[in-house]
């Protein structure tokens, strides 16, 4: 594969070099002069770039904003660019003097933003739509696209699953709207809605795209914006648009690269080897058996499993146009080691985009192909917990060990393993090899035809695909102390996502009635197919661990949709959307769902009473209502059909001399149907002081009905005790606010500040078919410790995933008293009826902030986030008992918190372990410098240094306050990363 890419690179570079050499032939020359000023205050603008369109010939304005440029006789246009100003493409004609008044590029009401099945002017959007472009992206060593967007948009919360290379992130737009169906937003990449389900052997399905290939993110939040996607849009929509070639542009080569160093910012505090010895000698002074177990070593096990890691990333792109064929080709390579040893991430990406037009621009063609080859090695993350608990007086290696040379707890009379003993964390990493290879491609062909006989009417055909193939192996050495005979597991998976969209779009200016009509109607078909298998044996393949299991499943979505936009007097805007979706996951009687939305917008600024109020640049009121659907059931593609599951080998039934494997009927509901979410939204877009300050304010209310949920089945039904059906209602309501200000916009300095604020409250309003005040709710949130323990509950009147715990009693010094809880119902005894719902993992408020300062050739940026009101269950502390230091005939370390509490019995359900995890995290700080027009004025070079995860301010006592599900149990630590970046434009 790499050799194949190498050939492609060489041929591509050779082709572009030949094109570049032969493209710069000019005729006679003439001189153009002029002055450039700012429309904001009429001051002259020095340093404005002036370039002859389609060439590299150019200059910059002097201190007085003046320029003089010798141009070819056949030159037609000049391109003017300047920081903070709208770029201008000015026709020269026969003029010898070309002056220009440049306008601020602040809010960009005329900017075109991508919406469902089309585009619109930002100023004409009636729904809650936010667009984030390249200049706003987060900086640093970023391997997954969603990291570019973190903290940038009100209402959008993005939480990575930890610090593993290429780790997946959980994305929530305006809170979760489901309990057992997916809460992930729909993600559309260049017109292809991708499958949100994981690809086996791949941490993050979005890793297919190299971040440097992305041009914009558009986030659709309210139902009036998302309803056009109907069945998959109840959790919002994120539209990713990749960079494209532009007609008439010269060849541009760009190479970006960075080298990163990943470090561990902090570790769990545990007693050192010396302190551990002191504790054991004091507590067991009279027990020689225990004292004899102490070793002579001094091992910091966390230092042994963690490392300072190195990563590097490269991306080479070529953008240009050959006659009427705009193109962009990019090749990316990423290699990253993780801070947990044996973590490896290796990815190669290829992206090709062709955007020609034909028939005098009546037929526009977009061809996009993205390919990825990825190799992963996944560590055993259980080693993180083992590193906290393993005896620090023991060495990593033992020359006499038969377990791969690693120290292991063995019985004193022989070399057999003490079955309940802790595992050597280094051995867990080194004696296990978990490898995967993933190949994936996403692509589409889009034809947009404007009819010659009726240019107001366009037809659009979009055919796309998303294919992936993955396989992996997990090998555990036969010398591993915890796995007699070792393990050898294999798995594979093939996935296909196929798409066909077709729609007509009619746009007409109705000048006679001062109106504009934009109507669209279409059809969509999408097919999802998945097939895979897995198998596991001992290393010598004589004993089966996991019997061969294969599966194949598929589902279809078929849709009809329409949207009408009507504008009257450029003041009043109306949008109506209707989508009729059919899902094969439901029985024919319930297969179709109808999802309407309506939105109104009033451009108040265009009214006569505000037209001459200069301090207000823009003011638009938005009102919206819509219904979206949910059919992405996480328990399978056929929840309405009867199914049977093979019983375990030990559960076979004997008929004479023959043993027959039994089948167990699974619960199902033939009447299961769409989960529906209604959204009400009121918003205000504003711009002040010539758009030097701008932003938006939104209030929303979301109500989900007919929740797809798992409920108990009455005993004696001969079914499993859980069934998936429609039961319950859930609501989210909140406030969003965003503001961007540019306090300085000068010739040599530009400063932008951004801030966004989100307040969201989630509450379950119904969980049973018949109201039952005695029904506690649905238990969730599995934790380590014991068997089947949970710490969260879904209950009516409370937030989803609320913690369900006992109220701890403390002594006069503020220390928890072991086993002593508040008798909340005053019945004289402590039992489960005294448990209560206490806080939840979701923040009440989350905020994002950023700054971008550019001074001459320097730039300095930072971005961060704040969460307030999110709570965490510290599962690391809750499973640590003081008497665990000597148990099962072995010694074990414990977190320092357990040394302080001295709990001797499990207190898993104590609210003592529920901690406020509010935090401020500085995500990135970047300093850069641009070297412009070097090497015969043909190169622009940018150097930058970045610190990611620079610091975290929090009172949470665990390793990291940011864990999405609110349960802190051996999360892969997020590293602090130091990045040296290089970008070269040619």
């Amino acid at each position: 594969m790499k050799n194949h890419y190498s050939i492609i690179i060489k041929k591509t570079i050779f082709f572009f070099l030949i094109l570049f050499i032969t493209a710069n032939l000019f005729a006679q020359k003439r001189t153009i002069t002029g002055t450039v000023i700012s429309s904001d205050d009429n001051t002259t603008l020095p340093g404005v770039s002036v370039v002859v369109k389609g060439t590299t010939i150019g200059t910059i304005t002097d201190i007085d904003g003046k320029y003089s440029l010798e141009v070819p006789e056949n030159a037609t246009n000049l391109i003017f660019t300047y920081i903070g100003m709208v770029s201008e493409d000015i026709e020269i004609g026969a003029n010898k003097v070309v002056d220009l008044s440049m306008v601020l590029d602040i809010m960009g009401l005329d900017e075109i933003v991508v919406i469902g099945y089309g585009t619109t002017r930002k100023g004409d959007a009636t729904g809650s739509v936010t667009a984030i472009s390249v200049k706003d992206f987060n900086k640093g060593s970023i391997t997954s696209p969603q990291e570019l967007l973190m903290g940038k948009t009100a209402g959008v919360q993005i939480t990575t699953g930890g610090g593993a290379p290429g780790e997946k992130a959980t994305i929530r737009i305006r809170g979760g709207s489901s309990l057992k169906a997916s809460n992930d937003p729909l993600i559309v990449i260049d017109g292809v809605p991708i499958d949100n389900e994981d690809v086996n052997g791949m941490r993050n399905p979005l890793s297919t795209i190299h971040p440097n290939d992305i041009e914009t993110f558009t986030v659709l939040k309210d139902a009036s914006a998302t309803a056009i996607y109907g069945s998959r849009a109840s959790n919002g929509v994120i539209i990713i648009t990749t960079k494209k070639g532009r007609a008439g542009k010269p060849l541009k080569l760009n190479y970006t690269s960075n080298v990163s160093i990943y470090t561990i910012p902090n570790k769990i505090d545990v007693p050192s080897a010396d302190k551990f010895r002191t504790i054991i000698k004091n507590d067991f002074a009279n027990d020689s058996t225990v004292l004899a177990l102490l070793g002579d070593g001094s091992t910091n096990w966390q230092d042994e499993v963690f490392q300072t890691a190195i990563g590097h990333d490269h991306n080479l792109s070529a953008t240009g146009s050959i006659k009427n064929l705009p193109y962009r080709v990019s090749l990316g390579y990423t290699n990253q080691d993780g801070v947990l040893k044996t973590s490896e991430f290796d990815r190669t990406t290829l992206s090709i985009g062709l955007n020609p037009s034909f028939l005098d621009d009546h037929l526009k063609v977009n061809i996009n192909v993205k390919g990825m080859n990825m190799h992963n090695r996944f560590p055993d993350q259980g080693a993180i917990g083992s590193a906290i608990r393993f005896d620090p007086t023991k060495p990593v290696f033992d020359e006499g060990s038969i377990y791969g040379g690693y120290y292991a707890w063995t019985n004193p009379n022989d070399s057999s393993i003490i079955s309940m003993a802790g595992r050597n964390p280094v051995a867990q990493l080194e004696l296990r090899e978990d490898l995967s290879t993933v190949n994936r491609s996403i692509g589409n062909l889009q034809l947009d035809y404007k009819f010659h006989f009726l240019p107001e009417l366009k037809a659009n055909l979009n055919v796309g695909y998303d294919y992936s193939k993955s396989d992996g192996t997990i090998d555990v050495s036969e010398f591993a102390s915890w796995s007699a005979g070792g393990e050898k597991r294999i798995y594979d998976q093939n996935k296909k996502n196929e798409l066909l969209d077709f729609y007509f779009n009619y746009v007409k200016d109705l000048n006679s009635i001062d109106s504009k009509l934009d109507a669209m109607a279409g059809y969509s078909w999408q097919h999802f197919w998945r097939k895979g298998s897995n198998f596991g044996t001992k290393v010598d393949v004589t004993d089966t661990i996991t019997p061969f299991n294969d599966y194949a499943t598929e589902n279809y979505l078929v849709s009809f949709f329409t949207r009408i936009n009507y504008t009257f007097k450029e003041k009043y805007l109306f949008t109506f959307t209707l989508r009729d979706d059919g899902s094969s996951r439901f029985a024919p009687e319930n297969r179709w769902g109808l999802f309407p939305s309506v939105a109104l917008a009033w451009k108040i600024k265009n009214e006569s009473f505000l037209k001459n109020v200069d301090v207000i640049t823009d003011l638009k009121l938005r009102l919206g209502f819509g219904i979206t659907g949910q059919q992405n059931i996480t328990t399978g593609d056929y929840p309405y059909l009867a199914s049977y599951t093979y019983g375990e080998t030990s559960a076979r039934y004997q008929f004479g001399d023959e043993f027959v494997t039994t089948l167990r009927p699974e619960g199902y509901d033939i009447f299961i149907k769409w989960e529906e979410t209604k959204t009400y939204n009121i918003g205000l877009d504003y711009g002040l002081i010539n758009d030097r300050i701008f932003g938006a304010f939104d209030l929303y209310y979301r109500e989900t009905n007919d929740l797809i949920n798992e409920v108990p089945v009455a005993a004696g039904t001969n079914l499993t005790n859980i069934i998936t059906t429609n039961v319950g209602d859930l609501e989210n309501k909140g406030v969003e606010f965003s503001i961007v200000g540019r306090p300085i916009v000068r010739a040599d300095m530009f400063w932008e500040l951004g801030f966004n604020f989100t307040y969201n409250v989630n509450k379950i309003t119904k969980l049973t078919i018949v109201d039952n005040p005695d029904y506690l709710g649905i238990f969730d949130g599995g934790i380590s410790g014991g068997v089947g323990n949970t710490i969260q509950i879904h209950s009516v009147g409370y937030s989803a995933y609320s913690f369900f715990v006992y109220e701890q009693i403390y002594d006069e010094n503020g220390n928890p008293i072991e086993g002593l809880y508040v008798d909340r119902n005053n019945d004289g005894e402590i039992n489960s009826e005294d448990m209560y719902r206490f806080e939840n993992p979701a923040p009440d408020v989350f905020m994002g902030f950023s700054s971008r300062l550019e001074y001459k050739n320097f730039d300095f940026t930072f971005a961060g986030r704040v969460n307030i009101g999110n709570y965490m269950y510290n599962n690391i502390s809750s499973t640590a008992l003081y008497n665990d230091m000597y148990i099962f005939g072995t010694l074990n370390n414990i977190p320092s918190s357990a040394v302080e509490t001295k709990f001797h019995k499990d207190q898993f359900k104590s609210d003592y372990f529920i901690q406020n995890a509010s935090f401020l995290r500085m995500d990135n700080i970047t300093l850069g410098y641009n070297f412009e027009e070097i090497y015969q004025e043909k190169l622009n070079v940018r150097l930058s240094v970045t610190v990611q995860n620079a610091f975290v301010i929090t009172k949470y006592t665990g390793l990291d306050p940011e864990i999405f599900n609110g349960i802190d149990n051996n999360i892969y630590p997020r590293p602090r990363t130091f990045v040296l970046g290089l970008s070269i434009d040619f």
Side-chain angles (χ1 to χ4, degrees):
M1 178 64 72
K2 290 183 178 179
N3 289 337
H4 175 66
Y5 284 138
S6 177
I7 293 171
I8 292 175
I9 294 172
K10 291 176 181 177
K11 289 184 175 181
T12 302
I13 293 175
F14 177 76
F15 168 75
F16 287 142
L17 286 175
I18 295 298
L19 180 65
F20 181 81
I21 291 170
T22 59
N24 293 284
L25 298 176
F26 298 99
Q28 295 179 348
K29 299 181 178 181
R30 58 191 171 116
T31 300
I32 303 293
T33 61
T35 303
V36 182
I37 65 172
S38 169
S39 64
D40 184 33
D41 53 13
N42 292 322
T43 58
T44 57
L45 292 177
V48 176
S49 172
V50 186
V51 178
V52 178
K53 186 174 182 178
T55 76
T56 58
I57 300 171
T59 186
I60 60 173
T61 57
D62 62 20
I63 191 67
D64 297 317
K66 298 183 181 299
Y67 72 93
S68 177
L69 181 62
E70 194 175 61
V71 305
E73 187 64 34
N74 60 353
T76 59
N77 293 68
L78 293 180
I79 305 295
F80 294 80
T81 56
Y82 186 72
I83 294 173
M85 298 291 182
V86 176
S87 296
E88 299 281 0
D89 185 339
I90 304 299
E91 187 174 347
I92 302 172
N95 298 317
K96 294 183 178 180
V97 177
V98 177
D99 296 327
L100 179 64
S101 176
M102 299 189 77
V103 298
L104 290 170
D105 182 15
I106 304 290
M107 190 171 179
L109 295 178
D110 290 326
E111 176 187 353
I112 301 299
V113 294
V114 179
I115 57 174
Y117 304 102
T119 60
T120 188
R121 287 195 322 130
K122 189 172 183 179
D124 291 340
T126 57
S128 183
V129 179
T130 302
I132 303 295
S133 62
V134 172
K135 61 181 173 56
D136 304 309
F137 290 165
N138 289 322
K139 307 293 190 295
S141 176
I142 291 176
T143 58
S144 301
Q146 71 273 358
E147 297 174 61
L148 299 169
L149 191 60
M150 291 179 68
K152 294 297 183 181
T153 304
V156 180
Q157 184 184 14
I158 301 176
T159 308
T160 59
E167 183 60 78
K168 182 180 180 180
T170 301
I171 305 174
R172 292 293 178 265
I173 299 178
R174 295 184 169 181
S177 60
S178 299
L179 292 181
K180 289 300 179 182
S182 172
N183 280 298
D184 296 328
L186 172 65
I187 296 176
V188 182
I189 301 175
D190 286 334
V192 180
I194 66 169
D195 186 353
N196 283 343
E197 294 181 7
D198 291 338
V199 175
N200 286 352
M202 185 177 179
R203 287 188 178 96
N204 187 349
L206 282 182
S207 293
T208 305
I209 309 174
H210 193 284
N212 197 55
D213 291 334
I214 296 176
E215 182 73 31
T216 62
F217 289 90
T218 303
V219 182
L220 313 181
K221 293 185 286 189
D222 69 340
S224 64
T226 64
I228 193 66
Y229 287 109
S231 62
R232 301 180 62 194
S234 61
N235 300 303
V237 180
I238 297 177
I239 301 174
I240 298 176
T241 304
T242 58
K243 296 174 182 176
K244 303 288 190 297
R246 297 288 186 269
K249 296 291 184 180
L251 168 66
K252 178 181 178 181
L253 295 176
N254 172 262
Y255 170 72
T256 60
S257 174
N258 65 64
V259 177
S260 305
I261 300 175
Y262 305 89
T263 63
I264 292 289
N266 50 47
K267 299 169 185 173
I268 295 295
D269 186 29
V270 297
S272 65
D274 290 340
K275 186 174 182 179
F276 182 78
R277 286 190 187 90
T278 300
I279 295 172
I280 296 297
K281 288 177 180 179
N282 289 339
D283 288 6
F284 299 93
N286 300 319
D287 194 332
S288 59
T289 302
V290 177
L291 296 178
L293 296 174
L294 285 170
D296 299 325
S298 182
T299 305
N300 185 321
W301 288 103
Q302 293 184 80
D303 284 348
E304 295 296 331
V305 299
F306 293 126
Q307 64 182 354
T308 297
I310 303 294
H312 54 98
D313 179 87
H314 311 269
N315 183 266
L316 175 66
S317 67
T319 307
S321 178
I322 305 174
K323 294 185 179 180
N324 67 336
L325 178 60
Y327 61 85
R328 185 178 187 274
V329 180
S330 76
L331 181 68
Y333 177 73
T334 306
N335 181 274
Q336 182 182 339
D337 292 333
V339 291
L340 181 61
K341 291 180 179 178
T342 71
S343 302
E344 297 175 14
F345 174 81
D346 186 280
R347 176 187 65 186
T348 303
T349 60
L350 176 66
S351 177
I352 301 173
L354 303 175
N355 314 104
S357 60
F358 306 96
L359 306 176
D360 295 327
D361 285 342
H362 278 257
L363 176 61
K364 295 182 179 180
V365 180
N366 285 307
I367 301 173
N368 300 287
V369 178
K370 301 167 187 66
M372 179 214 65
N373 171 257
M374 178 184 292
H375 299 277
N376 290 294
R377 181 173 180 181
F378 304 102
D380 183 350
Q381 290 190 208
I384 298 174
S386 297
I388 297 170
R389 303 301 181 86
F390 209 75
D391 181 358
T393 70
K394 298 299 186 292
V396 176
F397 301 100
D398 180 0
E399 291 182 1
S401 171
I402 62 173
Y403 300 103
Y406 293 94
Y407 179 85
W409 283 103
T410 58
N411 287 298
N413 299 325
D414 54 36
S415 59
S416 63
I417 290 295
I418 299 175
S419 60
M420 300 299 290
R423 299 177 182 178
N424 183 322
V426 179
Q428 280 183 267
L429 295 174
E430 299 297 341
L431 297 183
R432 183 178 188 270
E433 189 176 57
D434 184 349
L435 305 176
S436 75
T437 299
V438 182
N439 292 289
R440 189 179 188 189
S441 180
I442 300 173
N444 69 313
L445 166 66
Q446 191 170 42
L447 305 176
D448 189 272
Y449 177 65
K450 180 169 63 175
F451 289 86
H452 282 75
F453 63 88
L454 186 61
E456 295 87 358
L457 180 65
K458 294 195 298 185
N460 189 287
L461 173 67
N462 182 30
V463 181
Y465 71 90
D466 175 5
Y467 292 165
S468 67
K469 177 178 174 57
S470 58
D471 57 75
T473 59
I474 303 174
D475 292 302
V476 178
S477 170
E478 59 187 310
F479 301 111
S481 62
W482 63 89
S483 181
E487 299 177 19
K488 189 173 185 65
R489 300 178 183 271
I490 59 173
Y491 63 87
D492 64 78
Q493 184 188 60
N494 285 290
K495 298 182 72 176
K496 295 181 180 180
N497 167 16
E498 297 164 326
L499 168 77
L500 185 147
D501 288 333
F502 181 75
Y503 63 88
F504 289 101
N505 187 203
Y506 180 79
V507 181
K508 178 71 173 178
D509 286 324
L510 307 173
N511 297 322
S512 60
I513 56 174
D514 202 3
S515 300
K516 180 180 179 180
L517 177 66
D518 183 344
M520 182 263 289
Y523 166 82
S524 179
W525 172 91
Q526 200 162 8
H527 173 223
F528 301 91
W529 176 86
R530 299 164 289 278
K531 180 180 181 181
S533 67
N534 58 78
F535 180 56
T537 69
K538 296 291 187 181
V539 170
D540 61 7
V541 303
T542 56
D543 295 328
T544 298
I545 300 173
T546 302
F548 180 78
N549 173 50
D550 63 343
Y551 64 89
T553 183
E554 65 180 345
N555 68 289
Y556 291 85
L557 288 171
V558 176
S559 309
F560 300 90
F561 54 86
T562 185
R563 177 174 60 214
I564 298 173
N565 289 313
Y566 176 72
T567 303
F568 180 62
K569 291 184 176 296
E570 275 297 316
K571 300 178 187 178
Y572 315 108
L573 298 90
F574 168 80
T575 301
F576 173 75
T577 304
L578 184 66
R579 181 159 176 142
D580 196 14
D581 276 318
S583 172
S584 63
R585 283 179 164 142
F586 303 122
E589 298 82 2
N590 298 313
R591 184 153 291 169
W592 291 89
L594 198 61
F595 305 108
S597 79
V598 61
L600 300 171
W602 176 25
K603 292 185 177 182
I604 307 174
K605 171 59 182 174
N606 289 355
E607 295 289 354
S608 57
F609 57 83
L610 278 184
K611 269 194 173 181
N612 296 321
V613 180
D614 294 336
V615 72
I616 299 177
T617 312
D618 176 54
L619 195 63
K620 181 175 67 174
L621 178 68
R622 295 176 279 105
L623 300 172
F625 167 78
I627 301 174
T628 49
Q630 174 64 280
Q631 55 82 47
N632 194 5
I633 303 168
T634 58
T635 53
D637 286 328
Y638 316 105
Y640 72 95
L641 294 177
S643 62
Y644 296 83
T645 301
Y646 282 106
E648 298 295 331
T649 305
S650 58
R652 292 186 297 176
Y653 194 84
Q654 184 176 3
F655 286 94
D657 295 332
E658 183 179 359
F659 287 86
V660 178
T661 300
T662 59
L663 290 172
R664 181 183 72 246
E666 300 288 349
Y668 69 100
D669 178 12
I670 192 173
F671 300 109
I672 191 170
K673 61 181 180 179
W674 291 90
E675 180 180 285
E676 293 187 349
T677 299
K678 300 175 184 176
T679 301
Y680 303 82
N681 194 94
I682 178 171
L684 186 71
D685 298 330
Y686 65 89
L688 305 173
I689 316 173
N690 201 20
D691 280 344
R692 294 287 286 269
I693 300 173
F694 61 92
F697 177 81
D698 282 82
L699 297 172
Y700 63 85
Y701 174 77
R702 303 173 68 205
E703 180 184 21
T704 303
N705 304 117
D706 296 322
L707 282 168
I708 295 175
N709 204 355
E710 293 180 352
V711 296
V713 177
T717 58
N718 198 33
L719 299 171
T720 54
N721 60 350
I722 294 292
I723 188 173
T724 301
T725 186
N726 297 96
V727 177
D729 299 332
L730 175 72
E731 68 177 24
N732 282 276
K733 51 187 175 182
V735 179
E736 295 173 358
F737 172 73
S738 65
I739 184 170
V740 177
R742 292 184 171 177
I744 300 176
V745 179
R746 294 206 318 251
D748 59 350
M749 181 177 288
F750 173 81
W751 187 21
E752 177 181 276
L753 293 169
F755 173 78
N756 62 76
F757 169 95
T758 304
Y759 170 76
N760 184 81
V761 176
N762 167 285
K763 186 170 73 173
I764 298 170
T765 56
K766 183 179 179 182
L767 271 181
T768 53
I769 298 174
V770 178
D771 289 339
N772 179 4
D774 298 324
Y775 180 60
L776 278 176
I778 302 169
F779 294 97
D780 209 321
I783 60 174
S784 295
V787 177
N789 268 328
T790 61
I791 198 65
Q792 293 169 332
I793 192 171
H794 304 307
S795 300
V796 173
Y798 297 88
S799 296
Y801 300 98
S802 293
F803 296 109
F804 193 55
V805 289
Y806 291 104
E807 185 178 356
Q808 181 70 53
I809 293 179
Y810 299 83
D811 62 21
E812 64 275 8
N813 297 319
N815 298 314
I817 302 174
E818 182 173 1
L820 193 58
Y821 303 110
V822 174
D823 181 10
R824 294 179 63 89
N825 64 354
N826 297 313
D827 65 354
E829 58 179 313
I830 303 298
N831 54 34
S832 60
E833 294 184 3
D834 294 300
M835 298 181 72
Y836 76 114
R837 297 154 187 87
F838 177 59
E839 304 295 351
N840 68 89
D844 299 321
V845 171
F846 56 93
M847 296 174 276
F849 58 91
S850 62
S851 172
R852 178 163 61 103
L853 175 65
E854 299 175 5
Y855 175 67
K856 295 184 177 179
N857 286 10
F858 286 96
D859 60 85
F860 176 72
T861 64
F862 64 79
R865 291 171 295 120
V866 175
N867 274 21
I868 299 175
N870 54 303
Y871 280 74
M872 189 80 68
Y873 177 71
N874 194 330
N875 202 187
I876 295 175
S877 294
S878 70
T879 55
L881 302 178
Y882 190 77
N883 53 315
D884 280 350
M885 287 190 290
Y886 174 64
I887 190 171
F888 304 123
T890 66
L891 296 178
N892 305 276
N893 210 350
I894 56 175
S896 296
S897 60
V899 177
E900 297 169 2
T901 59
K902 287 187 168 57
F903 283 176
H904 286 76
K905 293 184 179 179
D906 293 328
Q907 310 295 323
F908 296 130
K909 300 298 181 76
S910 169
D911 66 3
Y912 172 76
F913 299 110
I914 308 296
Q915 300 178 15
N916 189 322
S918 301
F919 66 86
L920 181 154
R921 185 187 297 275
M922 185 62 73
D923 284 318
N924 60 76
I925 303 173
T926 298
L927 176 65
Y929 185 83
N930 295 288
F931 299 87
E932 297 179 343
E933 298 183 347
I934 61 177
Y935 187 64
Q936 299 178 351
E937 300 184 350
K938 294 179 180 179
L939 292 181
N940 291 322
V941 178
R942 181 176 186 272
L943 292 176
S944 64
V945 289
T946 300
V947 181
Q948 282 181 261
N949 192 22
F951 60 84
V952 180
I953 300 174
T954 182
K955 290 184 178 180
Y956 179 62
T957 62
L959 194 62
D960 196 306
E962 190 176 12
I963 302 174
F964 178 76
N965 67 356
I967 300 174
D968 183 0
N969 183 20
N970 299 331
I971 184 176
Y972 194 121
R974 293 180 176 89
R976 178 164 297 135
T977 308
F978 301 88
V979 187
L980 176 63
L982 168 69
S983 178
I984 302 174
D985 285 315
F986 180 77

